[in-house]
Amino acid sequence: MHKMSIRTTQVKSAASVRSAAVIGSGVMGAGIAAHLANAGMRVVLLDVVPRTLTEEEERKGLTLNDPKVRNRLAAGAIANMARSQPAPLYDSASASRIRPGNLTDDIALLGDTDWIVEAVVERFDVKREVLAAIESARRPGTLVTTNTSGLSVAAMAEGRSKEFREHFAATHFFNPPRYMKLVEIVPTADTGAEVTELLAELCVKRLGKGVVIARDTPNFIANRIGTYGMLVTLEDTIRYGLTVEEADALTGPAMGRPKTATFRMLDLVGLDTLLHVVDNVRERSEDDAERAIFARPRLLEELVAAGRLGEKSGSGFYRKRKDPDGRSRIESLRLGTLEYGPQVRISSPVIDAAKAAKGAAAKAKALLAANPKDCYAQFAWSTVKRTLLYAAAQVGVIAETVVDIDRAMKWGFNWELGPFELWDAIGVEKSVARMKEEGESIPDWVEKRLAEGHSSFYQAAELKRFYAVPGGFAEENQEADVISLSALKGAGRTVLGTQGASLIDIGDDVVCLEFHSQNNAIGGEILSAIRQSVAEVSRNWRGLVLANEGRNFCVGANLMLLLMEAQAGEWDEVEDIIRFFQDSMLRLKRLDRPVVAAPHRMTLGGGVEACLPADVILLSPETYFGLVETGVGLIPAGGGCKEAAIMAAERAGLSAAGVRSGVTPGDLQPHLNALFETIAMAKTSTSGHDAAKLGLLRPQDRAIVRQDARIAEAKRLVLELDRAGYSAPVEERVAVAGREGKAVLAMGVQAMRLGGHISKHDALIAGKLAHVLAGGDVRQGAMVSEKYLLDLECEAFLSLCGESKTQERMSHMLSKGKPLRN
């Protein structure tokens, strides 16, 4: 038993929570522990003591009393964090913050912990037993939460002291905890109001989550409505005689929802898990109609009985098979026979119209406005109608407001629009009239709103949004550290605008350049907007932020345009594109006002090159950052290679401003080697925190924990630089490794080629990259201009564009969405 002093101070603020304990090292417990470590907390991960030895432990002569055996479950979970995909840690080094232990020997550690999270198996009796053990060891004032997906939180705490219950609630993390935004906080009647507020602050500010407050009802908010939506979709799929592919084509992106749609999502969740959720609602409900809604579907029971549980068992509504030639093939379930057959690609005017529409609201309108006699349109309307009515019936039951329900579905199920936002998009009055014609019962509060003249659930005015409450609207809370570009544009704060980008006034004489081309790929429109913005900011503003609210910051340059020009042999056009890109990035770098880039999610190729000219790069936690041009047979040519050469020189202490005492040109090679490997292998960071390991960040660049705050934080940094007396960076000459350094890189490429690790074309690309990064054939340590390096970039890029194998790689990426090795 560990002995330690017990602190008696209570947790006062989110910032004061520095240590945590997680009980249970299964998938959810380990994931929560990892994310608490991501937030910088010291974490104790505890599990039960194993009752038997593994074969390996027996071979080593260990006994059940050995600490390695007793802590095996937690220690194994921590070890698996480095191997798990998707990675639960921002940086694998954060695993050192997590200490393994067991509930028998290490229970006293809970007495020195600020927050205890119970995450054991979803069994009421087990959770109550663990909570009793926690109470025996915790100090007064310690936060205690249960991670449950739908068990009664109040009943779980029965028998615990009043002080314990006041500091107890549920924090329902969605899986995987690092990636899913939603945390449902479920207080009980005994939970202190200040505790609920503290938990919300903790999850939002420290963990970067989106919080909704749910009532203590079966399966809370997101799972309750999400499960209902899956059940009615399954029912309507059978009713309208659709295939699983057809249903998924209609309930995925065409409806503003993820590609997993319905049946792929069911396979991911697990059909047995869904039945468990269905049972939980039905068994705890006191309403006969709801119990009927949540009856077990016979089809699911048959599949589960046959061991077809979804992805975890290898088959469910879909399964993956291998052809005789070794290629994988996806098959889908035929609902009538429960046999599998080849997956069929679905296309129809209804689906095509929805896909072609811009934005989730327009997609939904297009889908639901189709010919009502069309089977697909009937199915889509039925599933949407039933889900909207059910969500409306739950206001005041599972959640206080429409906002809580909408946020839960957007953050927990990745819907682009919550139910009430979707209802507004398709028209509340018109849709309700249709529902009544079809004999549906409309919730009283919705009928009353319409009678009072309120034809929507949301209204916007200036930078505020208002949501439906009895008698009218209430203002939606807006957090001070969140800047909404869409709201600012709606309020008329656009300074400049093109089809590909907008310059938006974000306050305090700072503007934000937002990309909004298709996939935010950089083309002529975005480059022109960058040049216009540079001129505008220099004249009239204190600084510039580069950020957007798209799914990804930027996936690279417009590859289709480059391929078309290359295939047509329009080499002057290709060179003009590259020169235009390079010059635009140079103008951004030389702007006499501070620039801060705030990328998020996929920031690849040209997206990285758009960030590198900034004075500071502020990455969100989920930023996947990398110069990946070699994957399509090219090298970075928008200034990426030039900036990499500059970074290598600066890290070696070689710059035009002066060489550090004792530093020689040879000291440049290790830094150049590392950057060459990063770019040649098209490495991409697994998080914003991981990006520094790739060598693509400067000392001033950093990652933040809370993605929603990235634009506001970038603005703050712009103002900080401005107040410090900002002056534009001047061009400096760059020390390069020259022919000697290039030879070192070439040796590595040759070794990879001879070892069969890379193809002949890979070696050609790597050779071109080495030539540019090393500064060509000048002497080692020569000082060259940025323009000289850009010329090398352009020349190498043009030569690779002319290679047939590069054009094959570009075409394959555009058609298949993944690299080709040829």
Coordinates of all heavy atoms in Angstrom, one line a residue, residues 11 13-20 35-42 90 97 114-115 173 198-209 481 621 689 704-707:
V11 N -11.1 21.5 -5.1 CA -10.8 22.1 -6.5 C -11.6 23.3 -6.6 O -12.8 23.4 -6.4 CB -11.2 21.0 -7.5 CG1 -11.1 21.6 -8.9 CG2 -10.4 19.7 -7.3
S13 N -11.0 25.7 -9.5 CA -11.2 26.1 -10.9 C -10.6 25.0 -11.8 O -9.9 24.1 -11.4 CB -10.4 27.4 -11.2 OG -9.0 27.2 -11.0
A14 N -11.0 25.1 -13.1 CA -10.5 24.1 -14.1 C -8.9 24.1 -14.1 O -8.3 23.1 -14.3 CB -11.0 24.4 -15.4
A15 N -8.3 25.3 -14.0 CA -6.9 25.4 -14.1 C -6.2 24.7 -12.9 O -5.0 24.3 -13.0 CB -6.5 26.9 -14.1
S16 N -6.9 24.6 -11.8 CA -6.3 24.0 -10.6 C -6.3 22.5 -10.6 O -5.8 21.8 -9.7 CB -7.0 24.5 -9.3 OG -8.3 24.0 -9.3
V17 N -7.0 21.9 -11.6 CA -7.1 20.4 -11.8 C -5.8 20.0 -12.4 O -5.6 20.1 -13.6 CB -8.3 20.0 -12.5 CG1 -8.3 18.5 -12.7 CG2 -9.6 20.4 -11.8
R18 N -4.9 19.4 -11.7 CA -3.6 19.0 -12.2 C -3.3 17.5 -12.2 O -2.4 17.0 -12.8 CB -2.5 19.7 -11.4 CG -2.6 21.2 -11.5 CD -1.5 22.0 -10.8 NE -1.7 23.4 -10.9 CZ -1.0 24.3 -10.2 NH1 -0.1 23.9 -9.4 NH2 -1.3 25.6 -10.4
S19 N -4.2 16.8 -11.4 CA -4.0 15.4 -11.3 C -5.4 14.7 -11.5 O -6.4 15.3 -11.1 CB -3.4 15.0 -10.0 OG -4.2 15.4 -8.9
A20 N -5.4 13.5 -12.0 CA -6.6 12.8 -12.2 C -6.4 11.3 -12.0 O -5.2 10.8 -12.1 CB -7.2 13.0 -13.6
H35 N -6.4 11.2 -22.9 CA -6.7 12.6 -23.2 C -6.5 13.5 -22.0 O -6.2 14.7 -22.2 CB -8.2 12.6 -23.7 CG -8.5 13.9 -24.4 ND1 -7.7 14.3 -25.5 CD2 -9.3 14.9 -24.2 CE1 -8.2 15.5 -26.0 NE2 -9.1 15.9 -25.1
L36 N -6.7 13.0 -20.8 CA -6.3 13.8 -19.7 C -4.8 14.1 -19.7 O -4.4 15.2 -19.3 CB -6.7 13.1 -18.4 CG -8.2 12.8 -18.2 CD1 -8.5 12.1 -16.9 CD2 -9.0 14.1 -18.3
A37 N -4.0 13.1 -20.1 CA -2.6 13.3 -20.2 C -2.3 14.3 -21.3 O -1.4 15.1 -21.2 CB -1.9 12.0 -20.5
N38 N -3.1 14.3 -22.4 CA -2.9 15.3 -23.5 C -3.1 16.7 -23.0 O -2.4 17.6 -23.4 CB -4.0 15.0 -24.6 CG -3.7 13.8 -25.4 OD1 -2.6 13.4 -25.6 ND2 -4.8 13.3 -26.0
A39 N -3.9 16.8 -22.0 CA -4.2 18.1 -21.4 C -3.2 18.5 -20.3 O -3.3 19.6 -19.7 CB -5.6 18.2 -20.7
G40 N -2.1 17.7 -20.1 CA -1.1 18.0 -19.2 C -1.3 17.5 -17.8 O -0.5 17.9 -16.9
M41 N -2.3 16.8 -17.5 CA -2.5 16.3 -16.2 C -1.7 15.1 -15.9 O -1.3 14.3 -16.8 CB -4.0 15.9 -16.0 CG -5.0 17.0 -16.2 SD -6.7 16.5 -15.9 CE -7.6 17.8 -16.7
R42 N -1.3 14.9 -14.6 CA -0.8 13.7 -14.1 C -1.9 12.7 -13.9 O -2.9 13.1 -13.2 CB 0.0 13.9 -12.8 CG 1.3 14.7 -13.0 CD 2.0 14.9 -11.7 NE 1.3 15.8 -10.8 CZ 0.6 15.4 -9.7 NH1 0.5 14.2 -9.4 NH2 -0.1 16.3 -9.0
Y90 N -1.7 12.9 -28.2 CA -1.2 13.9 -29.2 C 0.3 13.6 -29.5 O 0.7 13.7 -30.6 CB -1.3 15.3 -28.6 CG -2.7 15.8 -28.4 CD1 -3.0 16.7 -27.4 CD2 -3.8 15.4 -29.3 CE1 -4.3 17.3 -27.3 CE2 -5.0 15.9 -29.2 CZ -5.3 16.9 -28.1 OH -6.6 17.4 -28.0
R97 N 3.2 10.6 -18.4 CA 2.4 11.3 -17.4 C 1.4 10.3 -16.7 O 0.7 10.6 -15.8 CB 1.6 12.4 -18.0 CG 2.4 13.6 -18.5 CD 1.5 14.8 -18.7 NE 2.3 15.9 -19.4 CZ 2.1 16.2 -20.7 NH1 1.3 15.5 -21.4 NH2 2.9 17.1 -21.2
D114 N -7.2 15.3 -8.0 CA -8.2 16.4 -8.1 C -9.5 15.9 -8.7 O -10.6 16.4 -8.5 CB -7.6 17.5 -8.9 CG -6.4 18.1 -8.3 OD1 -6.4 18.3 -7.1 OD2 -5.4 18.4 -9.0
W115 N -9.4 14.9 -9.6 CA -10.6 14.4 -10.4 C -10.5 12.9 -10.6 O -9.5 12.4 -11.0 CB -10.6 15.1 -11.7 CG -11.8 14.8 -12.6 CD1 -13.0 14.2 -12.2 CD2 -11.9 15.1 -14.0 NE1 -13.8 14.1 -13.3 CE2 -13.2 14.6 -14.4 CE3 -11.1 15.7 -14.9 CZ2 -13.6 14.7 -15.8 CZ3 -11.5 15.8 -16.2 CH2 -12.8 15.3 -16.7
F173 N -18.1 10.7 -22.1 CA -17.2 10.9 -23.3 C -17.6 10.0 -24.4 O -18.0 8.9 -24.2 CB -15.7 10.6 -22.9 CG -15.1 11.5 -22.0 CD1 -15.3 11.4 -20.6 CD2 -14.2 12.5 -22.4 CE1 -14.7 12.3 -19.7 CE2 -13.6 13.4 -21.6 CZ -13.8 13.3 -20.2
L198 N -18.1 23.7 -12.9 CA -16.7 23.4 -12.9 C -16.3 22.3 -13.9 O -15.4 22.4 -14.7 CB -16.2 23.1 -11.5 CG -14.7 22.7 -11.4 CD1 -13.8 23.8 -11.9 CD2 -14.4 22.4 -9.9
L199 N -17.2 21.3 -13.9 CA -16.9 20.2 -14.8 C -17.1 20.6 -16.3 O -16.3 20.2 -17.2 CB -17.9 19.0 -14.6 CG -17.7 18.2 -13.3 CD1 -18.9 17.3 -13.0 CD2 -16.4 17.4 -13.5
A200 N -18.0 21.5 -16.6 CA -18.2 22.0 -17.9 C -17.0 22.9 -18.3 O -16.4 22.7 -19.4 CB -19.5 22.9 -18.0
E201 N -16.5 23.7 -17.4 CA -15.3 24.5 -17.7 C -14.1 23.6 -17.9 O -13.3 23.8 -18.8 CB -15.0 25.5 -16.5 CG -13.8 26.4 -16.8 CD -13.4 27.2 -15.6 OE1 -14.0 27.0 -14.5 OE2 -12.5 28.0 -15.7
L202 N -14.0 22.6 -17.1 CA -12.9 21.7 -17.2 C -12.8 21.0 -18.6 O -11.8 20.9 -19.2 CB -13.0 20.7 -16.1 CG -11.9 19.6 -15.9 CD1 -10.5 20.3 -15.7 CD2 -12.2 18.8 -14.6
C203 N -14.0 20.5 -19.0 CA -14.1 19.7 -20.2 C -13.9 20.7 -21.4 O -13.3 20.3 -22.4 CB -15.4 19.0 -20.4 SG -15.6 17.6 -19.2
V204 N -14.4 21.9 -21.4 CA -14.3 22.8 -22.5 C -12.9 23.4 -22.5 O -12.2 23.3 -23.6 CB -15.3 23.9 -22.4 CG1 -15.1 25.0 -23.4 CG2 -16.7 23.4 -22.6
K205 N -12.4 24.0 -21.5 CA -11.2 24.8 -21.5 C -9.9 23.9 -21.5 O -8.9 24.2 -22.1 CB -11.1 25.7 -20.3 CG -12.3 26.7 -20.2 CD -12.3 27.7 -21.3 CE -13.4 28.8 -21.1 NZ -13.4 29.8 -22.2
R206 N -10.0 22.8 -20.7 CA -8.8 22.0 -20.5 C -8.7 20.9 -21.5 O -7.6 20.5 -22.0 CB -8.7 21.4 -19.1 CG -8.5 22.5 -18.0 CD -7.1 23.1 -18.0 NE -6.1 22.1 -17.9 CZ -5.7 21.5 -16.7 NH1 -6.3 21.9 -15.6 NH2 -4.7 20.7 -16.7
L207 N -9.9 20.3 -21.9 CA -9.9 19.1 -22.7 C -10.3 19.5 -24.2 O -10.3 18.6 -25.0 CB -10.8 18.1 -22.2 CG -10.5 17.6 -20.7 CD1 -11.5 16.5 -20.3 CD2 -9.1 17.1 -20.6
G208 N -10.8 20.7 -24.4 CA -11.2 21.1 -25.7 C -12.5 20.5 -26.2 O -12.7 20.4 -27.4
K209 N -13.3 20.2 -25.3 CA -14.6 19.5 -25.7 C -15.7 20.4 -25.8 O -15.7 21.6 -25.5 CB -14.9 18.4 -24.6 CG -13.9 17.3 -24.5 CD -13.8 16.6 -25.8 CE -12.7 15.5 -25.7 NZ -12.5 14.8 -27.0
D481 N -13.9 33.3 -26.1 CA -12.7 33.0 -26.8 C -13.0 32.2 -28.1 O -12.2 31.5 -28.7 CB -11.7 32.1 -26.0 CG -12.3 30.8 -25.5 OD1 -13.6 30.6 -25.7 OD2 -11.6 30.0 -25.0
P621 N -5.2 21.2 -32.0 CA -4.7 19.8 -31.6 C -4.9 18.8 -32.7 O -4.0 18.0 -32.8 CB -5.6 19.5 -30.4 CG -6.8 20.4 -30.4 CD -6.3 21.6 -31.1
H689 N 0.4 18.8 -31.9 CA 1.5 18.7 -31.0 C 2.7 17.8 -31.6 O 3.8 18.0 -31.2 CB 1.1 18.0 -29.6 CG 0.1 18.9 -28.9 ND1 -1.2 19.0 -29.3 CD2 0.2 19.6 -27.8 CE1 -1.9 19.8 -28.5 NE2 -1.1 20.2 -27.5
I704 N -2.3 24.5 -29.6 CA -3.2 24.7 -28.5 C -4.1 23.5 -28.3 O -4.2 22.7 -29.1 CB -4.0 26.0 -28.7 CG1 -4.9 25.9 -30.0 CG2 -3.2 27.2 -28.8 CD1 -5.9 27.0 -30.1
V705 N -4.7 23.5 -27.1 CA -5.6 22.3 -26.8 C -7.0 22.5 -27.4 O -7.6 21.5 -27.8 CB -5.7 22.2 -25.2 CG1 -6.8 21.2 -24.9 CG2 -4.3 21.8 -24.7
R706 N -7.5 23.7 -27.4 CA -8.9 23.9 -27.8 C -9.0 24.4 -29.2 O -8.7 25.6 -29.5 CB -9.5 24.9 -26.8 CG -11.0 25.0 -26.9 CD -11.6 25.7 -25.7 NE -13.0 25.8 -26.0 CZ -13.7 26.9 -26.0 NH1 -13.1 28.1 -25.8 NH2 -15.0 27.0 -26.2
Q707 N -9.5 23.6 -30.1 CA -9.6 24.0 -31.5 C -10.5 25.1 -31.7 O -10.3 26.0 -32.5 CB -10.1 22.8 -32.3 CG -10.3 23.1 -33.8 CD -10.4 21.9 -34.7 OE1 -9.6 21.0 -34.7 NE2 -11.5 21.8 -35.4

